[in-house]
Amino acid sequence: IKTFMKASKLLWTVVMALTFVLTSCDPFSQNEPTIEGDRYKYFDSSAQRQSFRVVNGSGKQYNHKVDWHIIGILEENSSTYLTKKVDTLSNGDFRISYDWVTFTVKENKSVIDVEVQKNETGKDRSVFFATSNSYKQAYLPNMIVTQRAK
């Protein structure tokens, strides 16, 4: 019985130590690409362009260890794709557009330019810029672009 008790305590200690190690450090989250600042990007109703840096999970410059690609532009809070067509420009940048918004991924996937057309609809409008990375197939980096009516 003593041997069984010692073995079960040892097993319990090993299980708890492994659980702590595996849950306390995620080696991928620090490298996963994300958009600098909040993922919600707001534009007023005028035509404009803004650039957003891609950084890693700890906020440092994106180091390209985790590659990512564009899935498409979706309706916000929906699984309906507005477009999946990604064009490669002559300079190597990637561009994906839908109606009033264009995303241009530049500088080896380290910068994303967002350009919106003037909003004359009288309503706010939003899209989800969906991407995928090689580790978890998560939508990282991603952003929700909202353009106000006024």
Side-chain angles (χ1 to χ4, degrees):
I1 289 184
K2 282 186 178 183
T3 305
F4 175 74
M5 295 284 285
K6 285 182 182 182
S8 65
K9 282 184 182 181
L10 178 62
L11 180 62
W12 177 253
T13 303
V14 169
V15 168
M16 291 306 292
L18 284 174
T19 301
F20 175 76
V21 168
L22 293 175
T23 59
S24 66
C25 62
D26 180 356
F28 304 122
S29 66
Q30 294 301 311
N31 287 325
E32 284 181 350
T34 187
I35 304 295
E36 188 172 45
D38 192 1
R39 75 181 220 162
Y40 295 93
K41 307 300 182 189
Y42 295 96
F43 293 79
D44 63 30
S45 62
S46 65
Q48 56 191 293
R49 172 183 273 167
Q50 291 184 37
S51 292
F52 303 100
R53 287 184 342 127
V54 177
V55 295
N56 66 19
S58 61
K60 296 178 182 173
Q61 184 175 352
Y62 173 55
N63 59 18
H64 310 285
K65 288 182 181 175
V66 177
D67 192 21
W68 61 273
H69 64 275
I70 301 167
I71 296 176
I73 299 173
L74 293 116
E75 288 182 6
E76 185 185 2
N77 299 319
S78 170
S79 60
T80 303
Y81 283 97
L82 302 170
T83 186
K84 290 181 171 184
K85 185 176 185 297
V86 179
D87 296 314
T88 302
L89 306 179
S90 61
N91 63 1
D93 293 349
F94 301 102
R95 179 171 288 158
I96 186 169
S97 301
Y98 166 74
D99 191 28
W100 56 273
V101 63
T102 299
F103 297 88
T104 304
V105 180
K106 303 167 58 169
E107 300 176 24
N108 202 18
K109 297 184 179 179
S110 295
V111 175
I112 302 172
D113 284 347
V114 179
E115 184 176 0
V116 296
Q117 303 302 314
K118 185 174 182 178
N119 187 353
E120 297 175 332
T121 66
K123 299 178 182 177
D124 290 356
R125 52 192 182 182
S126 290
V127 294
F128 178 67
F129 177 68
T131 67
S132 179
N133 69 55
S134 58
Y135 282 120
K136 296 181 180 179
Q137 298 302 310
Y139 289 133
L140 290 172
N142 67 50
M143 69 175 90
I144 296 172
V145 172
T146 301
Q147 187 180 32
R148 305 283 188 203
K150 292 186 179 197

